Amino acid sequence: MLACNARVTANRGARHVTSLATKIAEKPSPDTQKQETPSYLAGQIAAEVMAGSGGSFRVAEQNNSTAMCAVSCDTACTLCPAYNLLCGGMSKDAVGGVAPLPVSGTMHTIPARRLIQHPKEWSEFVPIVCSGWAMSSIALPDGRRQVISFLLPGDIVSIGSLLAPLSGHTVEAITEVTYRKFKRQEIKELLFGRSDLLERLFTLWNEAKARADQLALDLGRRRADERIARLILRLSEKVAKRSLVRTQTFDFPLRQRHIADATGLTPVHVSKILGELQRAGMIEINGRSLTILNGSELQRVADWR
């Protein structure tokens, strides 16, 4: 009888904790819009409550879009190229103080291998990546494609989308991606009314043009090993600019087909070159991470100047 009563009490307590955790998990955050907390979060919090001592509990580290966006948008916001342009820019108010720029955005999260933007889709919004990896590409009618760029947190999915409703690019999520959508008309009104912000836009545009010029040179004149080595170095540099700490190991969720479409090679050729780079002790690929073991030699192969 005592054991039965104990089980009943425990079950009631578990139901109460789960209910409490559900309320906590479903409580809306003032910093996000249109984001739903995954259903498993309530069970995770409940488990932490039951495992805690003295009735105290903590929320375990979350591997979900809300947590990733919090890191990208809160901790490293000032490192984001779009921060001063849109999210965190400040303007003078009527009394001489500062006020947030009048551009509002909504948050969205999609799983890997889903489209963020279709090349022929008319849209009044400009998406900016907050967390995860995506890629922008142009495809031929038979399905062959050329990756124009890999998009990391802080990247505008297409610079052209700031002014035109059609980008002509396919933007696909490589990993789970959280992105923020801004209304184009609001952005245009803001940019054309602020010379400093317009200058920042021109800087982003020049950087995009420089990358396009370099891509044309890589595809037209460089060897296969040079193309892949340069891609690795560019991604390493880009990740370092968006991170709080620079290390030789960084997230690398790309597969051989992604690298092949970015370098104009076949997946078989990419596999061969990556194998040669690893056997030479220049890089190491372990799951979804890449480590540069010999940066100077990799730069030599890439003709990196």
Side-chain angles (χ1 to χ4, degrees), residues 93-123:
D93 61 18
V95 295
V98 293
L101 293 176
V103 179
S104 59
T106 57
M107 301 295 295
H108 306 265
T109 299
I110 63 170
R113 297 183 295 278
R114 294 287 184 85
L115 290 186
I116 299 175
Q117 184 172 284
H118 190 278
K120 296 183 179 181
E121 176 187 4
W122 191 97
S123 176

Side-chain angles (χ1 to χ4, degrees), residues 67-87:
M68 288 190 296
C69 185
V71 172
S72 299
C73 298
D74 295 337
T75 305
C77 246
T78 55
L79 301 177
C80 169
Y83 176 77
N84 288 324
L85 183 64
L86 297 174
C87 307

Side-chain angles (χ1 to χ4, degrees), residues 135-154:
M135 63 180 178
S136 176
S137 65
I138 299 176
L140 294 174
D142 62 4
R144 289 176 295 165
R145 66 183 179 185
Q146 175 63 51
V147 173
I148 304 301
S149 62
F150 291 108
L151 305 174
L152 273 61

Side-chain angles (χ1 to χ4, degrees), residues 150-163:
F150 291 108
L151 305 174
L152 273 61
D155 283 337
I156 301 173
V157 298
S158 173
I159 297 295
S161 65
L162 286 169
L163 299 177

Side-chain angles (χ1 to χ4, degrees), residues 283-298:
I283 64 171
E284 178 180 341
I285 299 177
N286 185 12
R288 296 170 65 89
S289 66
L290 184 146
T291 301
I292 298 178
L293 302 175
N294 190 337
S296 59
E297 184 64 15
L298 187 63

Side-chain angles (χ1 to χ4, degrees), residues 27-274:
K27 184 177 180 180
S29 170
D31 297 326
T32 59
Q33 301 180 34
K34 296 186 179 180
Q35 278 191 297
E36 296 181 358
T37 302
S39 57
Y40 62 78
L41 183 57
Q44 183 181 7
I45 298 175
E48 291 291 338
V49 174
M50 298 299 291
S53 59
S56 61
F57 69 96
R58 62 178 179 85
V59 178
E61 184 178 353
Q62 307 165 26
N63 293 320
N64 55 57
S65 60
T66 304
M68 288 190 296
C69 185
V71 172
S72 299
C73 298
D74 295 337
T75 305
C77 246
T78 55
L79 301 177
C80 169
Y83 176 77
N84 288 324
L85 183 64
L86 297 174
C87 307
M90 306 297 285
S91 61
K92 297 289 185 179
D93 61 18
V95 295
V98 293
L101 293 176
V103 179
S104 59
T106 57
M107 301 295 295
H108 306 265
T109 299
I110 63 170
R113 297 183 295 278
R114 294 287 184 85
L115 290 186
I116 299 175
Q117 184 172 284
H118 190 278
K120 296 183 179 181
E121 176 187 4
W122 191 97
S123 176
E124 62 175 325
F125 297 100
V126 177
I128 296 178
V129 178
C130 293
S131 69
W133 285 53
M135 63 180 178
S136 176
S137 65
I138 299 176
L140 294 174
D142 62 4
R144 289 176 295 165
R145 66 183 179 185
Q146 175 63 51
V147 173
I148 304 301
S149 62
F150 291 108
L151 305 174
L152 273 61
D155 283 337
I156 301 173
V157 298
S158 173
I159 297 295
S161 65
L162 286 169
L163 299 177
L166 294 176
S167 69
H169 290 192
T170 298
V171 180
E172 178 184 344
I174 297 175
T175 66
E176 181 180 83
V177 171
T178 296
Y179 62 99
R180 194 170 186 178
K181 291 169 64 175
F182 297 90
K183 282 192 174 183
R184 179 182 301 99
Q185 188 58 36
E186 293 182 358
I187 294 177
K188 289 172 67 174
E189 291 174 358
L190 178 65
L191 291 177
F192 293 136
R194 290 277 303 275
S195 59
D196 57 330
L197 295 181
L198 196 59
E199 184 176 353
R200 293 172 190 167
L201 173 61
F202 289 153
T203 299
L204 293 178
W205 222 304
N206 285 332
E207 291 174 353
K209 182 183 181 302
R211 289 193 299 269
D213 292 345
Q214 192 61 54
L215 177 62
L217 178 61
D218 290 348
L219 296 177
R221 292 301 177 186
R222 295 193 186 279
R223 302 187 311 268
D225 56 346
E226 289 179 310
R227 299 181 199 178
I228 293 178
R230 292 180 70 84
L231 175 63
I232 292 172
L233 289 171
R234 278 199 299 267
L235 289 174
S236 172
E237 191 175 72
K238 190 172 183 179
V239 169
K241 289 180 179 179
R242 312 293 170 86
S243 304
L244 296 177
V245 179
R246 185 186 183 98
T247 64
Q248 295 302 310
T249 300
F250 60 97
D251 290 338
F252 194 75
L254 305 184
R255 295 297 173 256
Q256 290 178 7
R257 66 179 184 277
H258 299 134
I259 300 174
D261 289 340
T263 56
L265 304 171
T266 65
V268 173
H269 204 167
V270 169
S271 177
K272 176 184 176 182
I273 298 298
L274 289 177

